[in-house]
Amino acid sequence: MSTTKRRDNKGRVLRNGEFQRKDGRYVFKYKDIDGKEKCLYSSRLEPKDKLPDGARMAPSLREQEDQILRNQFNGVANFGGDMTVLELVERYIETKIGVRESTRTGYKTVVNFLKQDPFSAVRIDRVKLSDAKLWLVKLQRNGKGYSSIQTIRGVIRPAFQLAVEDELINRNPFDFELGSVIENDSKKRDALSPEWEAELLRYIREDQHFCAYYDAIYILLNTGLRISEFCGLTPEDVDFEQECIHVRGQLVRYSNMGKSYEPTKTDAGLRDVPMSEEVMQAFRNIIDNRPTPFIEPEIDGKSGFLFLDKNGMPMVAMHWEHYFQHIRAKYNAHYKEPMPIVTPHVCRHTFSTKMARRGLNAKNLQYIMGHSEISVTLDTYTHLGFRDAMKDFKRVMTE
C-alpha cells in the first residue's frame, strides 16, 4: 500500500477528501447527514492564506470543513437543505392549517412582496444575523413603513424558527427585537380629548348630512368596539334586557372585495360589552330607522346587519373610515382650529382612555376591550397626564 501523502502546491499535506485542482482551487468532498455527496470549494486552504489575485473573498476550505463537522456533530443539515428564503416561507405557510382568511391574506401579501425582493433567493444557511438586520434596515430606507416591516418579519421569523426545529440551520437570524434595529415611525393615533370628543359629536349632530351617522359614532365612542365587530352587529346582538352587546364575530372585507363574517380577532374578543342608557337609546334609533332591503343580505349564514350602504349591502370598515375623513375635511374647511385625526380606532382608543381616566379597573377594561394581553390595556394608562395622576392621588390620600 502506498504511504505517499497528497500535498498542495505549497507542500502542505492534504486531509482525506481534500484536493487541489490544476487551477489552484481547493475542493473538499464529503457526504452530508442525508447521505448525499457534496463538495466545498475555496481559493484558500487556511484562513491565513493570501487571497489569489482576482479571487472573491470567501471562507477558506478548512473553515468550511470545520463548520460542516460542527453541523454534523449537532445533527444539522448542511446548507439548510439548499432551501431559499422564499421556499422556506412557503413551506412554513403550508404548515398553517385552519388559519383565518385575514391571516391567509396576510401570508399572500408577504409572499408576493418576497417574490419581488432579491433577498428571497438567498439560501437560508447563508443568512446571518447581520444580514437579517441590514435587510430590514434597507426596507425602511427604501420607504417601507414600520408596521409593514413588522408584518413581513412576523412571517419570516417563525419560518426560520421552523428551519431551526427541522435542524436545517443552527440558529434563527431573525430572533431579535425589531425596535432595536429600525425606527418605529408609525403614526400614533392619540385619543380625543374630552373637549374634542364633545365638539365632534356637536358638529355631527348639527350637520344636515352627517347627522345620519350620529348614533353610530356615539356608540363607537362609548363602547370601545372594534370597527369590524361593530359592522357585524345585528339586532339579536344588542341585548336591551341584559344591557349589553353580545360580540360574537366580525364582518371583514378583503382585497378581492369579498366579505366574510368571522370569529372575533382573538378568543378574548368573544365578550359581552356593557351599554349605558345613552348607548341603548342610540341602538334603538338605529334599529327603528334601519331600512328594510328588498332582499336581506346574508354573509356566511349571518343576516340582519344593522348598517347597510346605499345598495342595501352591509357596511364595512372602509365606509366608516371614509365618513370620518369627510367629516374632518368639512369641519376643517369651516373652522380655524383643525380637528385632530379621527378614525374608528381613535374612537376605540378614546373610549379606553376615558374609562381608564374614570378609574375603571384594568382587568375589567381588558375584558370590555377584548384585549388578549393585559399589557395592551395597561398601555392605555400610560397616556394619562399629570392632572389625572393628581386627581387619583388626592382621591387615594383622602380615603
Side-chain angles (χ1 to χ4, degrees):
M1 178 182 294
S2 173
T3 59
T4 303
K5 295 182 179 180
R6 289 178 296 103
R7 299 176 182 269
D8 67 358
N9 56 17
K10 295 182 180 179
R12 293 176 296 189
V13 175
L14 298 175
R15 300 172 181 170
N16 290 336
E18 292 180 344
F19 303 89
Q20 186 175 31
R21 303 192 316 190
K22 292 182 179 180
D23 62 3
R25 294 195 72 197
Y26 293 94
V27 182
F28 175 67
K29 293 184 178 181
Y30 70 99
K31 285 188 177 182
D32 206 345
I33 58 174
D34 57 10
K36 295 180 180 179
E37 188 172 279
K38 297 184 178 181
C39 294
L40 299 176
Y41 300 90
S42 180
S43 298
R44 299 178 300 147
L45 181 65
E46 297 282 0
K48 61 182 180 180
D49 289 354
K50 181 181 178 181
L51 187 69
D53 293 339
R56 186 176 61 178
M57 177 57 71
S60 68
L61 192 72
R62 296 270 167 92
E63 287 177 299
Q64 295 183 56
E65 289 179 45
D66 290 343
Q67 182 62 55
I68 294 296
L69 291 174
R70 285 194 295 270
N71 287 350
Q72 291 182 339
F73 178 79
N74 293 323
V76 177
N78 294 300
F79 306 116
D82 296 333
M83 188 178 294
T84 66
V85 172
L86 179 59
E87 291 170 340
L88 174 63
V89 169
E90 291 177 329
R91 181 182 181 89
Y92 164 73
I93 292 174
E94 287 178 5
T95 69
K96 307 303 290 183
I97 305 299
V99 299
R100 296 174 181 173
E101 186 60 31
S102 56
T103 304
R104 185 70 61 189
T105 300
Y107 288 158
K108 291 179 181 177
T109 300
V110 173
V111 168
N112 289 336
F113 169 76
L114 286 175
K115 287 180 178 179
Q116 306 300 318
D117 194 289
F119 183 75
S120 66
V122 178
R123 284 194 342 201
I124 62 174
D125 65 298
R126 294 181 177 176
V127 179
K128 308 302 180 187
L129 177 64
S130 59
D131 297 327
K133 290 183 175 181
L134 289 172
W135 180 60
L136 297 182
V137 169
K138 181 181 177 182
L139 291 184
Q140 188 168 59
R141 287 177 178 171
N142 289 343
K144 276 289 181 184
Y146 183 88
S147 59
S148 296
I149 296 174
Q150 190 175 40
T151 299
I152 294 169
R153 178 174 170 270
V155 177
I156 289 184
R157 181 165 69 168
F160 269 88
Q161 189 57 40
L162 177 65
V164 172
E165 294 169 0
D166 279 351
E167 298 184 338
L168 297 177
I169 54 178
N170 280 311
R171 59 166 299 186
N172 186 344
F174 283 90
D175 193 17
F176 54 81
E177 291 294 327
L178 185 60
S180 66
V181 177
I182 63 173
E183 179 184 358
N184 187 347
D185 57 359
S186 301
K187 291 185 178 179
K188 188 175 178 56
R189 295 289 185 260
D190 291 325
L192 293 175
S193 67
E195 295 77 16
W196 269 116
E197 180 182 359
E199 176 63 7
L200 171 66
L201 289 173
R202 179 204 67 78
Y203 180 70
I204 296 172
R205 184 175 57 249
E206 297 176 1
D207 186 88
Q208 290 184 339
H209 176 68
F210 296 126
C211 62
Y213 311 128
Y214 177 84
D215 290 313
I217 292 175
Y218 185 90
I219 291 169
L220 287 173
L221 285 165
N222 289 280
T223 60
L225 290 173
R226 296 181 177 92
I227 189 60
S228 57
E229 298 169 344
F230 179 70
C231 293
L233 293 177
T234 67
E236 289 72 28
D237 299 317
V238 184
D239 191 334
F240 294 106
E241 183 177 343
Q242 297 296 322
E243 300 182 356
C244 68
I245 305 164
H246 302 302
V247 181
R248 297 295 179 262
Q250 58 179 341
L251 182 63
V252 182
R253 194 195 77 162
Y254 296 103
S255 56
N256 61 2
M257 303 301 286
K259 296 176 183 177
S260 174
Y261 184 79
E262 303 179 351
T264 52
K265 183 178 180 181
T266 64
D267 291 340
L270 195 67
R271 65 201 188 281
D272 295 326
V273 176
M275 292 191 294
S276 66
E277 182 57 47
E278 293 78 9
V279 168
M280 287 193 288
Q281 185 57 51
F283 270 119
R284 290 190 185 99
N285 296 339
I286 290 170
I287 293 172
D288 291 343
N289 296 320
R290 178 185 183 273
T292 302
F294 181 71
I295 298 177
E296 190 70 57
E298 180 177 312
I299 298 177
D300 296 327
K302 185 87 168 178
S303 62
F305 296 100
L306 287 178
F307 310 103
L308 304 177
D309 62 18
K310 61 183 180 181
N311 298 317
M313 296 302 295
M315 291 169 59
V316 293
M318 178 196 67
H319 290 95
W320 295 101
E321 293 280 356
H322 288 171
Y323 292 155
F324 278 111
Q325 290 173 13
H326 296 157
I327 290 169
R328 182 170 181 264
K330 186 175 180 180
Y331 182 95
N332 290 347
H334 292 87
Y335 292 87
K336 287 185 177 181
E337 185 177 2
M339 179 183 290
I341 293 176
V342 186
T343 66
H345 187 73
V346 167
C347 292
R348 175 171 161 83
H349 189 44
T350 297
F351 170 79
S352 180
T353 302
K354 181 166 54 179
M355 292 298 100
R357 181 174 286 123
R358 293 179 181 178
L360 184 65
N361 177 274
K363 290 297 293 183
N364 290 334
L365 183 56
Q366 177 189 2
Y367 170 79
I368 293 173
M369 298 298 292
H371 290 152
S372 57
E373 298 291 339
I374 187 62
S375 60
V376 179
T377 310
L378 291 175
D379 184 56
T380 299
Y381 289 80
T382 66
H383 298 170
L384 304 182
F386 170 75
R387 287 187 298 176
D388 304 298
M390 177 59 77
K391 182 178 178 181
D392 204 35
F393 175 76
K394 289 183 177 180
R395 177 186 63 78
V396 172
M397 294 300 291
T398 56
E399 288 181 350

